Amino acid sequence: MSALPLSPMRATLLALALALALSGCEGRAVPVGGASKAEVERGRLLLRQFGCGTCHRIPGVAAADGDVGPALDALARRVYLAGVLPNDPVNLARFIRDPQAFKPGTAMPDMGVGEAHAADMVAYLQTLR
Amino acid sequence: MKPRRLRWLAVGVVATVVALGGPLAFIHGGLYDVAATAPHSVPVQWLVETVMRRSVAKRAQDVTVPPLDDRELIARGRALHDAHCVACHGGPGVAPGPEGLGLMPPPANLSYTAREWKAAEVYWVIRNGIRMTGMPAWGYRLDEHDLWALVAFLRVLPTLSPAAYRDTAQAPPRARPAVPAHPEPDADRGAQALHQYGCATCHVIPGIVGANATVGPPLGGIARRGILGGLLPNTPDNMVRWLRRPQDIHPEGAMPNLGVTEGDARDIAAYLATLK
């Protein structure tokens, strides 16, 4: 490390740079990420193929502009799923596969999503922050 | 460009960077201590105190004070005071609870307040609260009668000895009949009510400052939404039902019954209906 004293100007700039770097997002309670780019892209495609967009607005998914259920903007930061399940990748996959099991009577149907497909969908939805 | 001009240009750039960068570094660098364990500095204390006093005085000017000497009104005020105020403010010979003692600025001693502030100002503060002090707005919890009952009792409070205060303790206040709904729902009133029922702590709501939490779903486009809570067709009446008592419709849900009155629910629904 340089022993040179910082000029006030450089100190200000350094503080500014540090502040911006530190204002990032550390220490989240729920682990995220880890999905490969291929999984994320498959998930995007599957959300379209299973018709999710007919009921939900999903950023980045073509023609996903449905207004039946809630918009999925920033879904990865959502605390609860359907008001009943704490939102983490595992619960999200379970909910996608069998919503009626967690919220009987919900308008969201069981779409017959397989485990692998649900995992890819979750990989994509985890990018919505 | 001449060297002289270049030098001035350089000075200008440096001055701009320092002028913008300093405050930005102060804000984003977390340099200001917001802990409630220490008081404001002297200049900040003077600033916020003066702004608050002047703000309240100005806004209380138009308040008309009703007769406050009615015994029953004072007695009702005493019961409300014991139920809602003592926990933070304490009373004659009664310490505030831990939630009040931990607040900064510390909640005022109300005997002192009653002597120093005009009745109209006390009413205004109880009704509207004071942002960033811990003083809540009671206007959405108590009706006009009860707000003035509190003022009526606070006028008497400084005349009571601790013993007299203790000996006149009241039973908990009885609930008053429901507040009648406003004749016409109003979206602007609804936007204000959204803040008063904590909606912004869970939902992203366009047009509501500070409503950026993602506990529940975002409410952008809620006017076009087909289903509410996954369970109810989105009609105006169903929206009011949901706002008032979501747990009746979805008992397992994270959205609590927040005690929203019929009138406030209709106002909030009017606002949400503008989010297309």
Side-chain angles (χ1 to χ4, degrees):
Chain A
M1 194 187 260
S2 163
L4 283 176
L6 288 172
S7 69
M9 162 82 185
R10 292 189 65 177
T12 306
L13 285 177
L14 190 65
L16 186 60
L18 264 178
L20 292 177
L22 291 175
S23 61
C25 316
E26 301 293 330
R28 299 282 180 219
V30 178
V32 292
S36 72
K37 210 164 177 175
E39 288 170 304
V40 170
E41 282 312 310
R42 270 203 313 269
R44 190 204 299 266
L45 193 68
L46 286 163
L47 287 165
R48 196 185 151 134
Q49 292 301 320
F50 278 88
C52 309
T54 56
C55 288
H56 296 284
R57 294 183 174 261
I58 316 175
V61 174
D65 56 2
D67 283 318
V68 181
L72 304 190
D73 303 59
L75 187 72
R77 285 167 47 217
R78 195 73 57 79
V79 177
Y80 299 104
L81 299 169
V84 286
L85 270 183
N87 180 21
D88 61 44
V90 173
N91 277 346
L92 181 54
R94 290 166 70 205
F95 185 77
I96 290 171
R97 295 196 63 202
D98 193 0
Q100 302 282 339
F102 300 100
K103 190 171 184 179
T106 177
M108 179 157 157
D110 180 346
M111 300 297 291
V113 181
E115 198 168 342
H117 284 168
D120 288 339
M121 288 179 184
V122 169
Y124 180 77
L125 295 172
Q126 286 301 114
T127 67
L128 303 178
R129 304 199 64 78
Chain B
M1 219 183 280
K2 289 178 188 164
R4 225 182 131 85
R5 277 195 163 179
L6 261 180
R7 198 185 307 145
W8 280 114
L9 189 68
V11 168
V13 169
V14 169
T16 308
V17 167
V18 172
L20 295 177
L24 268 176
F26 183 74
I27 293 166
H28 285 281
L31 299 184
Y32 193 83
D33 184 5
V34 297
T37 45
H40 290 305
S41 64
V42 171
V44 171
Q45 173 70 34
W46 174 85
L47 181 72
V48 294
E49 175 93 24
T50 308
V51 166
M52 187 268 285
R53 286 300 295 252
R54 302 296 304 152
S55 173
V56 173
K58 182 175 165 61
R59 281 159 184 78
Q61 270 172 0
D62 300 330
V63 173
T64 312
V65 182
L68 296 173
D69 294 330
D70 179 69
R71 278 178 167 280
E72 268 184 45
L73 191 69
I74 294 168
R76 169 111 190 130
R78 169 66 194 266
L80 290 163
H81 167 266
D82 290 5
H84 301 310
C85 309
V86 174
C88 285
H89 290 282
V94 179
E99 61 274 62
L101 293 172
L103 282 173
M104 180 61 67
N109 178 306
L110 294 179
S111 297
Y112 180 73
T113 299
R115 294 179 63 111
E116 296 288 317
W117 295 62
K118 295 175 184 162
E121 293 172 338
V122 173
Y123 162 85
W124 191 93
V125 168
I126 297 171
R127 184 176 193 278
N128 297 292
I130 302 175
R131 259 200 310 270
M132 292 191 75
T133 63
M135 176 65 192
W138 289 93
Y140 284 80
R141 321 289 157 220
L142 302 176
D143 62 20
E144 286 294 301
H145 177 272
D146 281 355
L147 291 171
W148 283 113
L150 270 171
V151 179
F153 172 68
L154 290 183
R155 288 171 82 228
V156 175
L157 181 63
T159 69
L160 298 177
S161 68
Y165 173 76
R166 196 179 51 236
D167 294 345
T168 53
Q170 297 278 318
R174 275 167 291 126
R176 287 177 60 78
V179 185
H182 304 292
E184 286 295 322
D186 181 89
D188 289 339
R189 254 188 342 242
Q192 206 181 345
L194 276 166
H195 287 289
Q196 287 297 322
Y197 290 104
C199 311
T201 59
C202 287
H203 296 283
V204 174
I205 315 173
I208 303 297
V209 176
N212 48 23
T214 55
V215 180
L219 303 188
I222 188 78
R224 291 190 322 252
R225 179 81 61 78
I227 307 282
L228 294 174
L231 299 165
L232 278 182
N234 184 11
T235 64
D237 282 347
N238 277 344
M239 178 60 94
V240 169
R241 273 180 69 201
W242 176 261
L243 289 169
R244 295 201 65 193
R245 306 193 60 82
Q247 301 252 329
D248 288 1
I249 296 148
H250 187 207
E252 311 293 319
M255 177 150 160
N257 292 350
L258 287 148
V260 183
T261 64
E262 176 81 16
D264 289 339
R266 296 214 168 269
D267 289 342
I268 292 170
Y271 179 77
L272 297 178
T274 68
L275 303 178
K276 298 202 193 316

